[in-house]
Amino acid sequence: MASIYIHFPFCKSRCIYCDFFSTTFLGLRSRYVEALKKELEMQCGYLSSSQVKTLYFGGGTPSQMDIGMLSEVMDCVYSHFDVSPDAEITMECNPDDLSDEYLCALRTRLPVNRLSLGVQTFDDGRLSFLRRRHSASGAIEALRRCRAHGYDNLSIDLIYGFPGQSLDEWEADIDRAIDLGVEHLSAYSLMYEEGTALYDMLSSGAVEEVDEEVSVSMYELLLKKLTAAGYRHYEISNFCKPGFHSRHNSGYWDGSHYLGIGAGAHSYNGKSREWNECSIELYLAGILEGKNGYRGSEMLDDRTRFNEMLMISLRTSSGVNLTRLERQFGQEMKILLLSKAAPYIDRGQLEVDRYVPIDTVKPTADEALRLTRGAVFTSNGIISDLFL
Ligand code: SF4
């Protein structure tokens, strides 16, 4: 399986918590689309002849692009790559952009079949604290419109752990998401990333981080309520109704090859990793004017690939496929991993069992090492202890 990710680094305004790479200078969009098309053409051999099973328009805010621009990029993907007829094609959207007109054009002109909406919370006060553009009712209306236009695979992002947020308030957000019947939900605790306005507010004492205990209780509540509502907890921050896991993200967790197009995008072909500079100017100059330096690369040695595979796989409900790991890295590495894991297995934080792929509930003949449910809260420490 192979995937393509295309980055659209444009936002109408910046949210106070965000450290993603994006700009509010929308005037560059047309040139950027030209560069995306040229890069797609330049990288048409990167995935060898693998069929593209997932395509992801991420950002920034892809829904800040005109439908005509998105359509040009999409056509270019289809003309240079073999895209599977049943490919999962996701687009990230801001609820505020999803007017009837926009959705109608999107539905008619692009084969997008999965929308991911940055809802974040259903509390208007907190939305304005984050400086999001939409209101709670706006997000609910946008989801309703997506349904009306035939989108039956909807994902939303939620944030918890706001300063002063109570468990009851968080529960109200979860209940609202469940009532809306979204197929997929990603939930993250509010992060204070250096360089963001939110980080400065924390540093100056204008806001206080929520207690770690409260944050853990919020995560536990999320797990309990979503599981009871029929969602599968298939990755630390991700939940889905059966059959609606993100096939694109699962590809990253599975070690599949992917091509990243656009400023700041990363690619992986099994041996090396490449990345484009997080600068629109450098990216445009590199692609459109043939100047060097927009793309870097590194060969991945076994140790790096092993550690990355551990870090990514152990975050999923499937865990590490030990049978595949042995095939890929040899029996010695498997024995070494299990010896490092032994104390955690004894304490009931890790377990060895049959491997169950994310897209099914049926165990395979392969063996897996995975976190037990109670260990999910301390996963970072456990995973880094297993590194080579
Ligand atoms: S959170 Fe999304 S919409 Fe807000 S600034 Fe970041 S990328 Fe843009």
Side-chain angles (χ1 to χ4, degrees):
M1 155 169 166
S3 301
I4 296 179
Y5 172 86
I6 303 186
H7 192 65
F8 294 92
F10 300 99
C11 294
K12 198 166 176 184
S13 55
R14 293 283 303 164
C15 310
I16 61 164
Y17 59 99
C18 181
D19 72 336
F20 292 165
F21 163 57
S22 72
T23 174
T24 52
F25 186 51
L26 304 183
L28 286 172
R29 288 177 307 166
S30 301
R31 274 192 86 210
Y32 189 77
V33 166
E34 285 314 308
L36 290 179
K37 290 193 297 182
K38 194 154 174 212
E39 193 188 6
L40 280 163
E41 193 184 330
M42 283 157 59
Q43 299 298 344
C44 65
Y46 187 84
L47 299 171
S48 309
S49 50
S50 303
Q51 196 174 45
V52 174
K53 300 281 192 185
T54 71
L55 176 57
Y56 198 101
F57 282 10
T61 316
S63 54
Q64 272 296 299
M65 306 297 287
D66 296 341
I67 295 294
M69 294 173 169
L70 295 173
S71 167
E72 276 183 52
V73 176
M74 187 67 82
D75 288 350
C76 190
V77 172
Y78 273 79
S79 61
H80 292 294
F81 294 87
D82 173 19
V83 182
S84 163
D86 68 347
E88 175 192 271
I89 306 181
T90 305
M91 176 169 146
E92 290 179 352
C93 303
N94 189 312
D96 211 33
D97 296 329
L98 298 180
S99 63
D100 260 326
E101 201 188 357
Y102 192 87
L103 280 167
C104 181
L106 184 67
R107 190 73 182 158
T108 329
R109 295 180 56 187
L110 281 104
V112 171
N113 50 31
R114 182 172 183 271
L115 298 179
S116 176
L117 277 68
V119 169
Q120 318 309 1
T121 169
F122 294 102
D123 180 302
D124 280 337
R126 296 205 163 88
L127 283 169
S128 88
F129 167 71
L130 295 177
R131 291 203 213 123
R132 296 291 309 191
R133 286 189 279 130
H134 64 277
S135 62
S137 59
I140 293 166
E141 257 307 291
L143 284 161
R144 187 200 59 74
R145 278 196 293 273
C146 293
R147 292 280 186 226
H149 285 276
Y151 289 100
D152 56 6
N153 191 353
L154 300 178
S155 178
I156 63 169
D157 286 353
L158 286 183
I159 291 177
Y160 61 92
F162 287 89
Q165 187 181 29
S166 71
L167 214 51
D168 286 349
E169 288 166 338
W170 172 228
E171 184 166 16
D173 268 356
I174 304 171
D175 286 341
R176 182 54 69 82
I178 293 171
D179 285 350
L180 288 165
V182 289
E183 282 71 28
H184 187 276
L185 195 149
S186 304
Y188 306 96
S189 72
L190 185 63
M191 299 300 286
Y192 296 79
E193 306 287 359
E194 217 172 323
T196 62
L198 185 62
Y199 181 86
D200 294 342
M201 288 165 83
L202 182 71
S203 309
S204 68
V207 294
E208 261 183 47
E209 265 183 278
V210 76
D211 253 26
E212 199 181 326
E213 257 175 51
V214 176
S215 182
V216 169
S217 304
M218 287 179 166
Y219 186 67
E220 280 172 335
L221 183 68
L222 176 76
L223 251 62
K224 192 172 122 204
K225 297 214 70 144
L226 289 183
T227 313
Y231 287 83
R232 279 186 70 202
H233 181 210
Y234 72 102
E235 198 265 352
I236 286 184
S237 309
N238 288 285
F239 303 79
C240 67
K241 290 189 172 174
F244 286 96
H245 61 286
S246 161
R247 283 164 52 198
H248 185 81
N249 287 345
S250 304
Y252 293 144
W253 305 327
D254 234 16
S256 302
H257 301 182
Y258 54 86
L259 170 65
I261 296 288
H266 285 235
S267 306
Y268 172 70
N269 62 9
K271 294 187 195 85
S272 62
R273 196 198 340 264
E274 283 74 34
W275 60 89
N276 292 349
E277 293 291 343
C278 276
S279 150
I280 298 186
E281 288 73 24
L282 271 183
Y283 175 73
L284 292 177
I287 302 273
L288 297 177
E289 294 157 31
K291 292 189 182 150
N292 287 329
Y294 82 94
R295 196 167 169 91
S297 77
E298 65 174 346
M299 290 303 288
L300 301 178
D301 58 18
D302 275 359
R303 185 168 167 271
T304 311
R305 285 193 302 126
F306 182 88
N307 288 344
E308 285 188 355
M309 194 258 301
L310 274 190
M311 189 167 69
I312 294 170
S313 307
L314 278 173
R315 288 178 57 93
T316 68
S317 58
S318 302
V320 180
N321 184 329
L322 291 172
T323 312
R324 198 165 71 198
L325 176 136
E326 187 176 344
R327 260 198 316 270
Q328 213 173 333
F329 298 99
Q331 197 188 26
E332 268 177 31
M333 295 286 243
K334 179 184 160 188
I335 293 170
L336 180 62
L337 173 62
L338 287 176
S339 71
K340 281 172 165 261
Y344 293 104
I345 295 174
D346 289 346
R347 287 203 288 274
Q349 292 173 298
L350 286 170
E351 62 187 5
V352 175
D353 204 342
R354 299 259 72 93
Y355 182 76
V356 184
I358 281 174
D359 56 354
T360 164
V361 286
K362 215 169 144 209
T364 64
D366 288 359
E367 220 181 3
L369 174 71
R370 61 173 168 253
L371 290 165
T372 56
R373 189 173 167 144
V376 168
F377 308 109
T378 47
S379 60
N380 285 346
I382 299 174
I383 295 171
S384 57
D385 270 3
L386 300 179
F387 283 169
L388 286 183

